[in-house]
């Protein structure tokens, strides 16, 4: 149940002057008719108004492709005058270094009587997050040079031991079979392997600010592909080696992730699915062994509503540390793979065969570079980024 009436900021009146409004876009000539909209936020039980400082409210006019920054007043009526169209509203407020309040809502604004209520919930961030996802390839048809970068975005030592890497199918234009059945707190593994870092708990430390590279194949791809722009991954920190695939080459100098589970041994690499896919980092509770979890049939499901007998390992949302929905830019409609608390909206994939990647935006706090993490990949990531960070 939501909090009592006093916890919901209702904007019941439209004001004709003194409304809070500023626009990120500088080109507002010839825009459609301006309409008033009242915006309120509906706080979940774990939040109070006193928690909310330095609020950020944005409105994206999907019709015009323009973003507006709105000034939200927690003590008063919030009415804004915006060009009519179809909108996506996004609310964010940092609570502490690792927690924030966030919410999204969509609305069509074509009259002066539109009101929008944004459900806002508390999100706890993980220090271990995806920093870079390179899935676009650098040479047409060459799919083996993909890799991931994981960063310790926190301020203390973390451990990679038992960290799970999984890739739901993603690329959705509508609810998937599980979502259509009302299952929204479990994420299927997708076809292919589910991976985990080896170790008993504290064998593989990662320092604050440290980045590690996980290569699908830890070789020099510039040589293997004959394309100078392909990355050299021969010195990656970790490798995904699938011993059941005849196409795999094991680099003895690079340690391998454990293969916890696979349901399709014809998948010659991890997370193929050009050029959109969903990705998860997850950590099981202390004392729960990843291999035991993956071997338990209670954690597997077949696709609802089908006769397929292919099993999928299901990862509970409550174990997810970070989730990134990478959307295929050729699709015009996108449907979220994840709950909004895990990833509110996706980032468009880098251009196919461009040798470019998706990388998180950076922020500087107290002289140190951190990576933006609002649990909204559309805001946190930049696409078509060079593989070497500037």
């Amino acid at each position: 149940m939501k909090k009592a009436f006093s916890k919901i900021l209702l904007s019941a009146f439209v004001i004709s002057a003194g409304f809070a409004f500023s626009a990120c876009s500088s080109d507002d000539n010839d825009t459609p008719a301006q309409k008033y909209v009242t915006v309120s936020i509906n706080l979940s039980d774990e939040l109070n108004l006193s928690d909310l400082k330095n609020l950020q409210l944005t409105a994206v006019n999907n019709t015009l492709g323009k973003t507006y920054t709105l000034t939200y007043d927690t003590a008063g009526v919030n009415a804004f005058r915006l060009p009519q169209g179809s909108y996506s509203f996004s609310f964010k407020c940092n609570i502490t270094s690792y927690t924030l309040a966030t919410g999204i809502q969509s609305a069509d604004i074509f009259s002066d009587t539109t009101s929008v209520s944004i459900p806002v919930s508390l999100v706890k961030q993980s220090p271990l997050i995806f920093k870079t996802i390179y899935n676009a390839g650098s040479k047409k048809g060459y799919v083996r040079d993909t890799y991931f970068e994981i960063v310790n975005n926190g301020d203390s030592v973390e451990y990679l031991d038992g960290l799970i890497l999984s890739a739901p199918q993603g690329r959705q234009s509508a609810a998937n079979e599980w979502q259509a059945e009302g299952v929204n707190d479990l994420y299927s593994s997708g076809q292919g392997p589910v991976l985990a870092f080896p170790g008993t708990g504290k064998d593989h430390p990662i320092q604050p600010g440290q980045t590690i590279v996980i290569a699908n194949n830890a070789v020099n791809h510039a040589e293997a592909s004959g394309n100078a722009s392909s990355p050299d991954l021969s010195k990656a920190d970790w490798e995904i080696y699938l011993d059941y695939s005849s196409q795999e080459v094991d680099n003895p100098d690079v340690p391998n992730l454990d293969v916890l589970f696979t349901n399709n041994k014809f998948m010659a690499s991890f997370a193929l699915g050009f050029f959109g896919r969903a990705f998860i980092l997850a950590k099981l509770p202390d004392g729960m062994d990843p291999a035991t979890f993956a071997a338990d049939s209670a954690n597997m499901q077949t696709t609802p509503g089908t006769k397929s007998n292919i099993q999928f390992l299901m990862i509970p949302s409550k174990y997810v540390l970070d989730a990134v929905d990478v959307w295929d830019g050729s699709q015009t409609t996108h449907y979220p793979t994840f709950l909004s608390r895990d990833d509110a909206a996706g980032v468009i994939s880098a251009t196919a065969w461009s040798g470019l990647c998706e990388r998180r935006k950076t922020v500087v706090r107290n002289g140190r570079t951190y990576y933006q993490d609002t649990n909204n990949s559309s805001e946190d990531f930049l696409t078509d980024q060079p593989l070497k960070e500037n």
Side-chain angles (χ1 to χ4, degrees):
M1 178 180 290
K2 298 298 181 185
K3 284 195 178 283
F5 183 82
S6 61
K7 283 219 48 193
I8 304 175
L9 299 183
L10 295 176
S11 299
F13 304 100
V14 175
I15 55 177
S16 60
F19 55 84
F21 170 80
S22 62
C24 292
S25 173
S26 59
D27 180 14
D28 289 321
N29 294 327
D30 301 321
T31 55
Q34 303 278 309
K35 300 295 181 181
Y36 283 107
V37 57
T38 56
V39 179
S40 63
I41 57 174
N42 191 346
L43 302 182
S44 58
D45 290 336
E46 67 270 18
L47 284 170
N48 293 289
L49 288 181
S50 58
D51 297 327
L52 305 183
K53 310 292 182 184
N54 302 316
L55 313 182
Q56 298 177 41
L57 176 64
T58 59
V60 178
N61 187 315
N62 300 308
T63 308
L64 300 175
K66 294 183 179 181
T67 300
Y68 303 93
T69 300
L70 310 176
T71 302
Y72 195 91
D73 180 6
T74 59
V77 175
N78 287 273
F80 308 100
R81 196 168 181 232
L82 295 168
Q84 67 181 18
S86 176
Y87 277 84
S88 298
F89 288 85
S90 177
F91 179 93
K92 186 185 76 169
C93 174
N94 292 319
I95 307 296
T96 69
S97 296
Y98 300 110
T99 58
L100 66 153
T102 183
I104 58 173
Q105 188 61 277
S106 300
D108 292 330
I109 303 175
F110 293 102
S111 73
D112 285 332
T113 59
T114 305
S115 62
V116 178
S117 179
I118 304 174
V120 175
S121 58
L122 186 70
V123 173
K124 295 182 179 179
Q125 299 167 306
S126 164
L128 295 179
I129 59 175
F130 290 105
K131 169 183 165 183
T132 303
I133 295 174
Y134 172 56
N135 63 312
S138 57
K139 178 182 178 181
K140 189 172 184 178
Y142 188 79
V143 299
R144 305 183 63 77
D145 61 349
T146 53
Y147 69 86
F148 308 85
E149 287 185 320
I150 296 172
V151 64
N152 180 354
N153 209 38
D155 298 321
S156 59
V157 177
E158 299 291 331
Y159 295 90
L160 297 170
D161 306 47
L163 184 66
I164 293 172
L165 177 62
S166 181
Q169 194 64 36
R171 299 186 66 171
Q172 298 182 185
S173 57
N176 64 36
E177 291 86 352
W178 284 274
Q179 291 168 331
E181 289 288 319
V183 179
N184 61 6
D185 58 349
L186 298 172
Y187 302 131
S188 73
S189 57
Q191 291 201 31
V194 177
L195 311 160
F197 285 83
T200 58
K202 293 188 176 182
D203 295 333
H204 304 294
I206 178 171
Q207 301 298 320
Q210 181 183 352
T211 295
I212 58 114
V213 176
I214 305 171
N216 240 326
N217 293 270
V219 302
N220 186 338
H221 293 280
E223 295 178 356
S225 70
N227 179 16
S229 64
S230 296
D232 179 1
L233 298 175
S234 60
K235 294 180 174 59
D237 299 288
W238 293 86
E239 180 178 32
I240 299 170
Y241 175 61
L242 309 179
D243 60 3
Y244 53 79
S245 172
S246 61
Q247 300 181 42
E248 293 281 90
V249 176
D250 187 16
N251 184 336
D253 297 324
V254 180
N256 298 329
L257 297 186
D258 292 337
V259 178
L260 291 183
F261 171 86
T262 188
N263 56 13
N264 183 352
K265 292 188 176 182
F266 291 101
M267 297 289 284
S269 292
F270 172 73
L272 291 180
F274 295 94
F275 292 90
R277 190 78 189 236
F279 301 97
I280 288 175
L281 290 178
K283 200 77 175 278
L284 301 177
D286 290 342
M288 188 181 294
D289 176 59
T292 303
F293 176 86
D296 187 346
S297 61
N299 297 320
M300 302 178 196
Q301 293 185 15
T302 56
T303 306
T306 73
K307 296 181 179 180
S308 172
N309 60 3
I310 296 177
Q311 296 277 342
F312 295 87
L313 185 64
M314 308 300 291
I315 307 295
S317 168
K318 63 184 178 181
Y319 299 153
V320 170
L321 301 184
D322 191 30
V324 180
D325 210 355
V326 181
W327 287 346
D328 183 350
S330 66
Q331 293 183 195
T332 57
T333 302
H334 304 285
Y335 190 94
T337 300
F338 303 113
L339 294 173
S340 59
R341 68 170 178 252
D342 295 322
D343 191 15
V347 56
I348 298 298
S349 178
T351 304
W353 317 118
S354 63
L356 301 174
C357 67
E358 303 90 49
R359 181 178 289 113
R360 280 188 193 270
K361 299 175 183 177
T362 58
V363 294
V364 177
R365 296 198 301 267
N366 300 322
R368 177 186 153 184
T369 298
Y370 291 83
Y371 291 86
Q372 180 172 304
D373 182 19
T374 67
N375 283 16
N376 185 337
S377 292
S378 67
E379 293 186 358
D380 292 342
F381 279 81
L382 298 170
T383 193
D384 283 336
Q385 298 299 294
L387 298 187
K388 291 185 178 180
E389 193 172 8
N390 295 327

PDB file of all heavy atoms in Angstrom, residues 161-164 196 260 281-295 299 313-316 318-321:
ATOM      1  N   ASP A 161      34.236 -12.972  -6.757  1.00  0.00           N
ATOM      2  CA  ASP A 161      33.870 -14.363  -6.520  1.00  0.00           C
ATOM      3  C   ASP A 161      32.353 -14.549  -6.540  1.00  0.00           C
ATOM      4  O   ASP A 161      31.617 -13.870  -5.815  1.00  0.00           O
ATOM      5  CB  ASP A 161      34.386 -14.829  -5.157  1.00  0.00           C
ATOM      6  CG  ASP A 161      35.871 -14.612  -4.972  1.00  0.00           C
ATOM      7  OD1 ASP A 161      36.353 -13.510  -5.282  1.00  0.00           O
ATOM      8  OD2 ASP A 161      36.545 -15.526  -4.494  1.00  0.00           O
ATOM      9  N   GLY A 162      31.885 -15.478  -7.376  1.00  0.00           N
ATOM     10  CA  GLY A 162      30.463 -15.794  -7.418  1.00  0.00           C
ATOM     11  C   GLY A 162      29.609 -14.821  -8.200  1.00  0.00           C
ATOM     12  O   GLY A 162      28.393 -15.024  -8.316  1.00  0.00           O
ATOM     13  N   LEU A 163      30.209 -13.759  -8.753  1.00  0.00           N
ATOM     14  CA  LEU A 163      29.437 -12.794  -9.542  1.00  0.00           C
ATOM     15  C   LEU A 163      28.941 -13.465 -10.819  1.00  0.00           C
ATOM     16  O   LEU A 163      29.721 -14.059 -11.568  1.00  0.00           O
ATOM     17  CB  LEU A 163      30.310 -11.592  -9.878  1.00  0.00           C
ATOM     18  CG  LEU A 163      29.645 -10.429 -10.623  1.00  0.00           C
ATOM     19  CD1 LEU A 163      28.596  -9.753  -9.748  1.00  0.00           C
ATOM     20  CD2 LEU A 163      30.693  -9.409 -11.074  1.00  0.00           C
ATOM     21  N   ILE A 164      27.643 -13.375 -11.083  1.00  0.00           N
ATOM     22  CA  ILE A 164      27.012 -14.060 -12.213  1.00  0.00           C
ATOM     23  C   ILE A 164      26.814 -13.092 -13.376  1.00  0.00           C
ATOM     24  O   ILE A 164      26.402 -11.947 -13.182  1.00  0.00           O
ATOM     25  CB  ILE A 164      25.658 -14.656 -11.789  1.00  0.00           C
ATOM     26  CG1 ILE A 164      25.879 -15.780 -10.771  1.00  0.00           C
ATOM     27  CG2 ILE A 164      24.870 -15.182 -12.989  1.00  0.00           C
ATOM     28  CD1 ILE A 164      24.596 -16.307 -10.145  1.00  0.00           C
ATOM     29  N   ALA A 196      29.832 -17.425 -14.265  1.00  0.00           N
ATOM     30  CA  ALA A 196      30.114 -16.905 -12.918  1.00  0.00           C
ATOM     31  C   ALA A 196      31.626 -16.873 -12.711  1.00  0.00           C
ATOM     32  O   ALA A 196      32.371 -17.692 -13.256  1.00  0.00           O
ATOM     33  CB  ALA A 196      29.455 -17.756 -11.846  1.00  0.00           C
ATOM     34  N   LEU A 260      28.147 -21.929 -15.736  1.00  0.00           N
ATOM     35  CA  LEU A 260      27.181 -22.491 -14.783  1.00  0.00           C
ATOM     36  C   LEU A 260      26.109 -23.321 -15.463  1.00  0.00           C
ATOM     37  O   LEU A 260      25.644 -24.329 -14.930  1.00  0.00           O
ATOM     38  CB  LEU A 260      26.484 -21.366 -14.009  1.00  0.00           C
ATOM     39  CG  LEU A 260      27.265 -20.537 -13.010  1.00  0.00           C
ATOM     40  CD1 LEU A 260      26.331 -19.555 -12.329  1.00  0.00           C
ATOM     41  CD2 LEU A 260      27.942 -21.438 -11.977  1.00  0.00           C
ATOM     42  N   LEU A 281      24.314  -8.468 -14.175  1.00  0.00           N
ATOM     43  CA  LEU A 281      25.266  -8.884 -13.150  1.00  0.00           C
ATOM     44  C   LEU A 281      24.452  -9.209 -11.905  1.00  0.00           C
ATOM     45  O   LEU A 281      23.619  -8.405 -11.484  1.00  0.00           O
ATOM     46  CB  LEU A 281      26.264  -7.781 -12.827  1.00  0.00           C
ATOM     47  CG  LEU A 281      27.303  -7.419 -13.893  1.00  0.00           C
ATOM     48  CD1 LEU A 281      28.171  -6.261 -13.408  1.00  0.00           C
ATOM     49  CD2 LEU A 281      28.175  -8.620 -14.245  1.00  0.00           C
ATOM     50  N   ALA A 282      24.666 -10.382 -11.333  1.00  0.00           N
ATOM     51  CA  ALA A 282      23.894 -10.799 -10.159  1.00  0.00           C
ATOM     52  C   ALA A 282      24.812 -11.427  -9.131  1.00  0.00           C
ATOM     53  O   ALA A 282      25.879 -11.951  -9.458  1.00  0.00           O
ATOM     54  CB  ALA A 282      22.798 -11.780 -10.569  1.00  0.00           C
ATOM     55  N   LYS A 283      24.395 -11.369  -7.882  1.00  0.00           N
ATOM     56  CA  LYS A 283      25.151 -11.988  -6.786  1.00  0.00           C
ATOM     57  C   LYS A 283      24.154 -12.681  -5.869  1.00  0.00           C
ATOM     58  O   LYS A 283      23.193 -12.066  -5.391  1.00  0.00           O
ATOM     59  CB  LYS A 283      25.921 -10.904  -6.015  1.00  0.00           C
ATOM     60  CG  LYS A 283      27.098 -11.431  -5.195  1.00  0.00           C
ATOM     61  CD  LYS A 283      28.296 -11.738  -6.078  1.00  0.00           C
ATOM     62  CE  LYS A 283      29.527 -12.148  -5.265  1.00  0.00           C
ATOM     63  NZ  LYS A 283      30.273 -11.006  -4.740  1.00  0.00           N
ATOM     64  N   LEU A 284      24.394 -13.975  -5.625  1.00  0.00           N
ATOM     65  CA  LEU A 284      23.523 -14.729  -4.736  1.00  0.00           C
ATOM     66  C   LEU A 284      23.839 -14.391  -3.289  1.00  0.00           C
ATOM     67  O   LEU A 284      24.931 -13.912  -2.985  1.00  0.00           O
ATOM     68  CB  LEU A 284      23.722 -16.228  -4.981  1.00  0.00           C
ATOM     69  CG  LEU A 284      23.444 -16.734  -6.402  1.00  0.00           C
ATOM     70  CD1 LEU A 284      23.746 -18.224  -6.500  1.00  0.00           C
ATOM     71  CD2 LEU A 284      22.015 -16.451  -6.826  1.00  0.00           C
ATOM     72  N   PRO A 285      22.918 -14.632  -2.381  1.00  0.00           N
ATOM     73  CA  PRO A 285      23.184 -14.363  -0.966  1.00  0.00           C
ATOM     74  C   PRO A 285      24.362 -15.188  -0.459  1.00  0.00           C
ATOM     75  O   PRO A 285      24.682 -16.261  -1.000  1.00  0.00           O
ATOM     76  CB  PRO A 285      21.880 -14.775  -0.281  1.00  0.00           C
ATOM     77  CG  PRO A 285      20.845 -14.734  -1.357  1.00  0.00           C
ATOM     78  CD  PRO A 285      21.544 -15.098  -2.624  1.00  0.00           C
ATOM     79  N   ASP A 286      25.028 -14.702   0.572  1.00  0.00           N
ATOM     80  CA  ASP A 286      26.136 -15.436   1.182  1.00  0.00           C
ATOM     81  C   ASP A 286      25.681 -16.838   1.564  1.00  0.00           C
ATOM     82  O   ASP A 286      24.587 -17.038   2.117  1.00  0.00           O
ATOM     83  CB  ASP A 286      26.639 -14.707   2.429  1.00  0.00           C
ATOM     84  CG  ASP A 286      27.358 -13.403   2.086  1.00  0.00           C
ATOM     85  OD1 ASP A 286      27.752 -13.236   0.919  1.00  0.00           O
ATOM     86  OD2 ASP A 286      27.512 -12.573   2.997  1.00  0.00           O
ATOM     87  N   GLY A 287      26.530 -17.803   1.238  1.00  0.00           N
ATOM     88  CA  GLY A 287      26.209 -19.194   1.558  1.00  0.00           C
ATOM     89  C   GLY A 287      25.482 -19.933   0.460  1.00  0.00           C
ATOM     90  O   GLY A 287      25.314 -21.157   0.545  1.00  0.00           O
ATOM     91  N   MET A 288      25.041 -19.220  -0.585  1.00  0.00           N
ATOM     92  CA  MET A 288      24.357 -19.864  -1.704  1.00  0.00           C
ATOM     93  C   MET A 288      25.348 -20.013  -2.858  1.00  0.00           C
ATOM     94  O   MET A 288      25.833 -19.027  -3.406  1.00  0.00           O
ATOM     95  CB  MET A 288      23.138 -19.038  -2.143  1.00  0.00           C
ATOM     96  CG  MET A 288      22.265 -19.752  -3.184  1.00  0.00           C
ATOM     97  SD  MET A 288      20.830 -18.746  -3.711  1.00  0.00           S
ATOM     98  CE  MET A 288      19.889 -18.685  -2.184  1.00  0.00           C
ATOM     99  N   ASP A 289      25.666 -21.231  -3.206  1.00  0.00           N
ATOM    100  CA  ASP A 289      26.680 -21.517  -4.217  1.00  0.00           C
ATOM    101  C   ASP A 289      26.088 -21.400  -5.620  1.00  0.00           C
ATOM    102  O   ASP A 289      25.034 -21.990  -5.902  1.00  0.00           O
ATOM    103  CB  ASP A 289      27.208 -22.939  -4.009  1.00  0.00           C
ATOM    104  CG  ASP A 289      28.193 -23.347  -5.080  1.00  0.00           C
ATOM    105  OD1 ASP A 289      29.224 -22.675  -5.232  1.00  0.00           O
ATOM    106  OD2 ASP A 289      27.909 -24.346  -5.777  1.00  0.00           O
ATOM    107  N   PRO A 290      26.741 -20.632  -6.517  1.00  0.00           N
ATOM    108  CA  PRO A 290      26.190 -20.465  -7.874  1.00  0.00           C
ATOM    109  C   PRO A 290      25.993 -21.781  -8.622  1.00  0.00           C
ATOM    110  O   PRO A 290      24.975 -21.962  -9.303  1.00  0.00           O
ATOM    111  CB  PRO A 290      27.228 -19.575  -8.562  1.00  0.00           C
ATOM    112  CG  PRO A 290      27.853 -18.797  -7.463  1.00  0.00           C
ATOM    113  CD  PRO A 290      27.899 -19.746  -6.300  1.00  0.00           C
ATOM    114  N   ALA A 291      26.956 -22.708  -8.510  1.00  0.00           N
ATOM    115  CA  ALA A 291      26.823 -23.978  -9.222  1.00  0.00           C
ATOM    116  C   ALA A 291      25.640 -24.780  -8.697  1.00  0.00           C
ATOM    117  O   ALA A 291      24.897 -25.407  -9.472  1.00  0.00           O
ATOM    118  CB  ALA A 291      28.117 -24.780  -9.085  1.00  0.00           C
ATOM    119  N   THR A 292      25.429 -24.767  -7.395  1.00  0.00           N
ATOM    120  CA  THR A 292      24.283 -25.464  -6.799  1.00  0.00           C
ATOM    121  C   THR A 292      22.971 -24.825  -7.232  1.00  0.00           C
ATOM    122  O   THR A 292      21.999 -25.516  -7.561  1.00  0.00           O
ATOM    123  CB  THR A 292      24.393 -25.453  -5.262  1.00  0.00           C
ATOM    124  OG1 THR A 292      25.632 -26.049  -4.876  1.00  0.00           O
ATOM    125  CG2 THR A 292      23.241 -26.211  -4.635  1.00  0.00           C
ATOM    126  N   PHE A 293      22.949 -23.497  -7.245  1.00  0.00           N
ATOM    127  CA  PHE A 293      21.762 -22.768  -7.689  1.00  0.00           C
ATOM    128  C   PHE A 293      21.415 -23.138  -9.132  1.00  0.00           C
ATOM    129  O   PHE A 293      20.246 -23.386  -9.468  1.00  0.00           O
ATOM    130  CB  PHE A 293      22.011 -21.266  -7.581  1.00  0.00           C
ATOM    131  CG  PHE A 293      20.900 -20.394  -8.104  1.00  0.00           C
ATOM    132  CD1 PHE A 293      19.828 -20.044  -7.298  1.00  0.00           C
ATOM    133  CD2 PHE A 293      20.922 -19.925  -9.410  1.00  0.00           C
ATOM    134  CE1 PHE A 293      18.801 -19.243  -7.785  1.00  0.00           C
ATOM    135  CE2 PHE A 293      19.913 -19.122  -9.902  1.00  0.00           C
ATOM    136  CZ  PHE A 293      18.841 -18.784  -9.087  1.00  0.00           C
ATOM    137  N   ALA A 294      22.445 -23.176  -9.999  1.00  0.00           N
ATOM    138  CA  ALA A 294      22.209 -23.435 -11.420  1.00  0.00           C
ATOM    139  C   ALA A 294      21.822 -24.884 -11.692  1.00  0.00           C
ATOM    140  O   ALA A 294      21.211 -25.177 -12.733  1.00  0.00           O
ATOM    141  CB  ALA A 294      23.460 -23.074 -12.219  1.00  0.00           C
ATOM    142  N   ALA A 295      22.172 -25.792 -10.782  1.00  0.00           N
ATOM    143  CA  ALA A 295      21.842 -27.207 -10.973  1.00  0.00           C
ATOM    144  C   ALA A 295      20.471 -27.571 -10.424  1.00  0.00           C
ATOM    145  O   ALA A 295      19.978 -28.687 -10.657  1.00  0.00           O
ATOM    146  CB  ALA A 295      22.909 -28.073 -10.310  1.00  0.00           C
ATOM    147  N   ASN A 299      14.977 -23.774 -10.186  1.00  0.00           N
ATOM    148  CA  ASN A 299      15.379 -22.463 -10.693  1.00  0.00           C
ATOM    149  C   ASN A 299      15.342 -22.392 -12.212  1.00  0.00           C
ATOM    150  O   ASN A 299      15.862 -21.443 -12.800  1.00  0.00           O
ATOM    151  CB  ASN A 299      16.784 -22.117 -10.194  1.00  0.00           C
ATOM    152  CG  ASN A 299      16.842 -21.999  -8.682  1.00  0.00           C
ATOM    153  OD1 ASN A 299      15.916 -21.464  -8.066  1.00  0.00           O
ATOM    154  ND2 ASN A 299      17.901 -22.514  -8.075  1.00  0.00           N
ATOM    155  N   LEU A 313      17.529 -20.863 -17.178  1.00  0.00           N
ATOM    156  CA  LEU A 313      17.842 -20.555 -15.787  1.00  0.00           C
ATOM    157  C   LEU A 313      17.259 -19.191 -15.472  1.00  0.00           C
ATOM    158  O   LEU A 313      17.491 -18.219 -16.196  1.00  0.00           O
ATOM    159  CB  LEU A 313      19.359 -20.552 -15.576  1.00  0.00           C
ATOM    160  CG  LEU A 313      19.827 -20.348 -14.130  1.00  0.00           C
ATOM    161  CD1 LEU A 313      19.385 -21.495 -13.237  1.00  0.00           C
ATOM    162  CD2 LEU A 313      21.357 -20.196 -14.082  1.00  0.00           C
ATOM    163  N   MET A 314      16.495 -19.103 -14.394  1.00  0.00           N
ATOM    164  CA  MET A 314      15.793 -17.880 -14.036  1.00  0.00           C
ATOM    165  C   MET A 314      16.540 -17.167 -12.910  1.00  0.00           C
ATOM    166  O   MET A 314      16.808 -17.751 -11.858  1.00  0.00           O
ATOM    167  CB  MET A 314      14.363 -18.186 -13.613  1.00  0.00           C
ATOM    168  CG  MET A 314      13.576 -19.039 -14.616  1.00  0.00           C
ATOM    169  SD  MET A 314      13.394 -18.286 -16.261  1.00  0.00           S
ATOM    170  CE  MET A 314      12.285 -16.919 -15.871  1.00  0.00           C
ATOM    171  N   ILE A 315      16.874 -15.894 -13.128  1.00  0.00           N
ATOM    172  CA  ILE A 315      17.588 -15.090 -12.149  1.00  0.00           C
ATOM    173  C   ILE A 315      16.595 -14.165 -11.457  1.00  0.00           C
ATOM    174  O   ILE A 315      15.977 -13.317 -12.108  1.00  0.00           O
ATOM    175  CB  ILE A 315      18.699 -14.256 -12.806  1.00  0.00           C
ATOM    176  CG1 ILE A 315      19.628 -15.140 -13.639  1.00  0.00           C
ATOM    177  CG2 ILE A 315      19.475 -13.468 -11.749  1.00  0.00           C
ATOM    178  CD1 ILE A 315      20.422 -16.134 -12.852  1.00  0.00           C
ATOM    179  N   PRO A 316      16.399 -14.301 -10.150  1.00  0.00           N
ATOM    180  CA  PRO A 316      15.468 -13.399  -9.452  1.00  0.00           C
ATOM    181  C   PRO A 316      15.945 -11.954  -9.476  1.00  0.00           C
ATOM    182  O   PRO A 316      17.147 -11.680  -9.319  1.00  0.00           O
ATOM    183  CB  PRO A 316      15.457 -13.941  -8.014  1.00  0.00           C
ATOM    184  CG  PRO A 316      15.899 -15.366  -8.133  1.00  0.00           C
ATOM    185  CD  PRO A 316      16.894 -15.372  -9.266  1.00  0.00           C
ATOM    186  N   LYS A 318      15.698  -9.799  -7.274  1.00  0.00           N
ATOM    187  CA  LYS A 318      16.266  -9.385  -5.988  1.00  0.00           C
ATOM    188  C   LYS A 318      17.757  -9.664  -5.884  1.00  0.00           C
ATOM    189  O   LYS A 318      18.431  -9.128  -4.997  1.00  0.00           O
ATOM    190  CB  LYS A 318      15.522 -10.057  -4.844  1.00  0.00           C
ATOM    191  CG  LYS A 318      15.631 -11.575  -4.829  1.00  0.00           C
ATOM    192  CD  LYS A 318      14.779 -12.172  -3.712  1.00  0.00           C
ATOM    193  CE  LYS A 318      14.831 -13.700  -3.713  1.00  0.00           C
ATOM    194  NZ  LYS A 318      13.973 -14.265  -2.634  1.00  0.00           N
ATOM    195  N   TYR A 319      18.302 -10.501  -6.782  1.00  0.00           N
ATOM    196  CA  TYR A 319      19.732 -10.789  -6.773  1.00  0.00           C
ATOM    197  C   TYR A 319      20.513  -9.945  -7.772  1.00  0.00           C
ATOM    198  O   TYR A 319      21.743 -10.050  -7.837  1.00  0.00           O
ATOM    199  CB  TYR A 319      19.980 -12.271  -7.082  1.00  0.00           C
ATOM    200  CG  TYR A 319      19.369 -13.244  -6.095  1.00  0.00           C
ATOM    201  CD1 TYR A 319      19.025 -14.529  -6.487  1.00  0.00           C
ATOM    202  CD2 TYR A 319      19.133 -12.871  -4.772  1.00  0.00           C
ATOM    203  CE1 TYR A 319      18.462 -15.429  -5.581  1.00  0.00           C
ATOM    204  CE2 TYR A 319      18.570 -13.754  -3.862  1.00  0.00           C
ATOM    205  CZ  TYR A 319      18.231 -15.033  -4.281  1.00  0.00           C
ATOM    206  OH  TYR A 319      17.666 -15.915  -3.381  1.00  0.00           O
ATOM    207  N   VAL A 320      19.825  -9.150  -8.560  1.00  0.00           N
ATOM    208  CA  VAL A 320      20.475  -8.380  -9.625  1.00  0.00           C
ATOM    209  C   VAL A 320      21.226  -7.182  -9.038  1.00  0.00           C
ATOM    210  O   VAL A 320      20.665  -6.387  -8.287  1.00  0.00           O
ATOM    211  CB  VAL A 320      19.441  -7.896 -10.662  1.00  0.00           C
ATOM    212  CG1 VAL A 320      20.069  -6.899 -11.637  1.00  0.00           C
ATOM    213  CG2 VAL A 320      18.872  -9.098 -11.423  1.00  0.00           C
ATOM    214  N   LEU A 321      22.507  -7.058  -9.397  1.00  0.00           N
ATOM    215  CA  LEU A 321      23.312  -5.900  -9.017  1.00  0.00           C
ATOM    216  C   LEU A 321      23.242  -4.809 -10.071  1.00  0.00           C
ATOM    217  O   LEU A 321      23.214  -3.619  -9.757  1.00  0.00           O
ATOM    218  CB  LEU A 321      24.772  -6.308  -8.807  1.00  0.00           C
ATOM    219  CG  LEU A 321      25.078  -7.360  -7.748  1.00  0.00           C
ATOM    220  CD1 LEU A 321      26.579  -7.555  -7.634  1.00  0.00           C
ATOM    221  CD2 LEU A 321      24.479  -6.983  -6.406  1.00  0.00           C
TER     222      LEU A 321
END
